[in-house]
């Protein structure tokens, strides 16, 4: 089986290359992202493998079908970047890695929270300058405060466990509450009103797009902390910036960003930043932006490679496809 592997980074090769030999799979690594211009590179392959900031719309999937592509392999959990309905129309299975290490992402969300709360990102540079003044770095005890967890799936649950370890009270919102969890479910409005820390762990869907926007920011407590490790479009960036300017937030940690595609994962340090919102966000002393790296642990990357290659192997051997993404059942194809 030949796979066109888009958006390749050195660490992808490190984990995927040795494992692919075990499955008799031939990976062709392309550094370019998957987009309208680069889709012809998929010709001559049986499948393509893409990552979070690659995308496949209906037109591209139609072109892939003409090339005889048999499957789309996502080496990530989220699938908002692929037109699932179009893939079903062309009978092209879309396979993903539903769970690799929810703890990796939850631990990273916690790192963002602790960083913006206790200013370790700024303390690091101050002490290197031999500036031992701690003025401006006062944080908040997490113990006894309320965390609002939006989305109580795998990552949300891992986050709840960590936050409970800090002695926080947990409020949760999920349209499909998990009764086995020892948390108080509430409405999204009540969560926004009562949480001292809000952490987003829901997928990007039409319902969750801009779940954080001017109206919902208004509901939040003053001096709230907001953490987003899910998808950038959950937050309307302009409204977040307005909220920051109005000093609504004590701290904001973002591992994802609305316009991250083409920017995140790239070294653009010699370029002028032409995204005004990203430029503005990076100027706030109480905001930390990271480059969609919540997943980035050895364990998670290893598990991603293993499950992606197992998914590919199931396609090549005609085995049941465990990790296939199905379109919503009521969708009219
Ligand atoms: P999951 O499918 O296990 O859980 C998602 C939960 O969100 C489910 O319980 C679902 O019911 C809930 N949900 C659905 N619609 C909702 C809504 N409108 N409001 C609130 N909750 C809603 O997924 P997961 O593995 O926990 O991953 C969550 C998200 O994290 C993924 O969708 C992905 O976007 C993101 N993610 C980010 C990274 C990273 O590196 N930063 C890595 C992996 C996943």
């Amino acid at each position: 089986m030949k796979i066109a592997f888009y958006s390749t980074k050195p660490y992808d090769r490190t984990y995927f290359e040795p494992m692919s030999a075990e499955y008799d799979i031939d990976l062709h690594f392309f550094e370019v992202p998957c987009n309208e211009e680069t889709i012809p590179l998929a010709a001559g392959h049986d499948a393509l493998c893409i990552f979070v900031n690659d995308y496949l719309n209906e037109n591209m999937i139609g072109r892939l079908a003409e090339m005889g592509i048999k499957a789309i392999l996502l080496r990530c959990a989220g699938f908002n970047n692929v037109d699932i309905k179009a893939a079903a129309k062309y009978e092209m299975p879309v396979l993903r890695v539903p769970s690799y290490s929810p703890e990796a992402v939850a631990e990273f969300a916690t790192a963002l929270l602790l960083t913006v709360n206790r200013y370790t990102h700024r303390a690091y540079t101050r002490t290197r300058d031999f500036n031992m003044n701690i003025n401006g770095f006062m944080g908040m005890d997490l113990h006894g405060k309320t965390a609002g967890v939006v989305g109580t799936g795998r990552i949300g649950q891992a986050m709840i466990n960590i936050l409970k370890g800090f002695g926080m009270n947990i409020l949760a919102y999920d349209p499909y509450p998990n009764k086995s969890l020892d948390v108080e479910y509430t409405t999204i409005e009540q969560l926004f009103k009562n949480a001292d820390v809000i952490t987003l762990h829901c997928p990007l869907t039409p319902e969750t797009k801009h779940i954080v926007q001017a109206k919902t920011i208004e509901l939040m407590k003053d001096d709230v902390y907001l953490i987003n490790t899910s998808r950038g479009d959950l937050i309307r960036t302009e409204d977040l910036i307005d909220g920051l300017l109005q000093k609504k937030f004590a701290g904001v940690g973002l591992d994802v960003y609305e316009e991250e595609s083409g920017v995140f994962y790239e070294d653009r340090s010699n370029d002028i930043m032409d995204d005004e919102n990203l430029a503005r966000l990076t100027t706030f002393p109480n905001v930390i932006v990271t480059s969609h790296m919540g997943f980035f642990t050895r364990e998670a990357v290893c598990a991603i490679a293993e499950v992606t290659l197992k998914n590919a192997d199931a396609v090549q051997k005609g085995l049941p496809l465990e990790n296939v993404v199905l379109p919503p059942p009521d969708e009219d194809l």
Side-chain angles (χ1 to χ4, degrees), residues 100 153-155 173-176 202-203 208 229-231 255 294-295:
Y100 35 92
R154 284 167 276 236
I155 297 171
Y173 171 71
D174 194 307
Y176 307 98
C202 55
T208 60
T229 56
S230 275
R231 285 293 180 266
D255 187 41
F295 72 98

Side-chain angles (χ1 to χ4, degrees), residues 144-189:
K145 301 294 188 315
T146 299
V149 179
V150 180
T152 55
R154 284 167 276 236
I155 297 171
Q157 286 173 43
M159 191 65 180
I160 288 168
N161 289 338
I162 294 172
L163 297 176
K164 279 190 173 176
F166 286 133
M168 297 192 80
N169 308 311
I170 312 291
L171 276 182
Y173 171 71
D174 194 307
Y176 307 98
N178 180 343
K179 294 205 174 85
S180 68
L181 296 180
D182 179 24
V183 292
E184 185 186 339
Y185 278 100
T186 182
T187 61
I188 189 75
E189 289 79 16

Side-chain angles (χ1 to χ4, degrees), residues 101-304:
S101 171
E103 289 77 17
V105 184
E107 287 168 13
F108 192 79
T110 312
L112 289 179
L113 172 60
L114 292 176
T115 304
V116 287
N117 179 19
R118 303 303 296 270
Y119 292 99
T120 42
H121 56 309
R122 298 182 58 209
Y124 172 78
T125 47
R126 257 194 214 179
T127 51
R128 287 166 76 93
D129 250 359
F130 202 23
N131 175 356
M132 301 313 208
N133 189 343
I134 62 169
N135 196 28
F137 290 171
M138 193 180 285
M140 168 187 91
D141 275 16
L142 295 176
H143 185 89
K145 301 294 188 315
T146 299
V149 179
V150 180
T152 55
R154 284 167 276 236
I155 297 171
Q157 286 173 43
M159 191 65 180
I160 288 168
N161 289 338
I162 294 172
L163 297 176
K164 279 190 173 176
F166 286 133
M168 297 192 80
N169 308 311
I170 312 291
L171 276 182
Y173 171 71
D174 194 307
Y176 307 98
N178 180 343
K179 294 205 174 85
S180 68
L181 296 180
D182 179 24
V183 292
E184 185 186 339
Y185 278 100
T186 182
T187 61
I188 189 75
E189 289 79 16
Q190 286 302 320
L191 183 149
F192 284 149
K193 275 185 189 165
N194 294 306
D196 300 296
V197 170
I198 296 168
T199 182
L200 306 178
H201 301 291
C202 55
L204 174 63
T205 64
E207 292 76 43
T208 60
K209 185 174 167 128
H210 293 168
I211 198 168
V212 173
Q213 51 167 280
K215 265 195 236 158
T216 49
I217 291 173
E218 217 178 290
L219 297 175
M220 295 176 193
K221 281 187 176 184
D222 288 341
D223 290 329
V224 65
Y225 288 85
L226 174 68
I227 306 297
N228 186 10
T229 56
S230 275
R231 285 293 180 266
D233 293 55
L234 298 182
I235 299 180
R236 189 162 189 276
T237 311
E238 281 92 354
D239 294 357
L240 176 68
I241 291 171
D242 282 348
L244 281 158
L245 289 170
Q246 288 160 25
K247 302 196 171 64
K248 182 78 180 173
F249 296 94
V252 174
L254 305 173
D255 187 41
V256 286
Y257 169 61
E258 268 189 297
E259 302 297 330
E260 68 179 56
S261 183
V263 180
F264 279 26
Y265 302 125
E266 304 305 325
D267 178 0
R268 304 271 304 270
S269 50
N270 283 323
D271 295 349
I272 298 213
M273 201 187 277
D274 54 9
D275 178 335
E276 298 285 337
N277 284 339
L278 184 57
R280 191 72 184 90
L281 278 176
T282 55
T283 65
F284 291 101
N286 58 342
V287 174
I288 178 158
V289 180
T290 52
S291 194
H292 204 145
M293 55 180 283
F295 72 98
F296 204 44
T297 64
R298 282 184 288 280
E299 292 79 359
V301 175
C302 185
I304 288 171

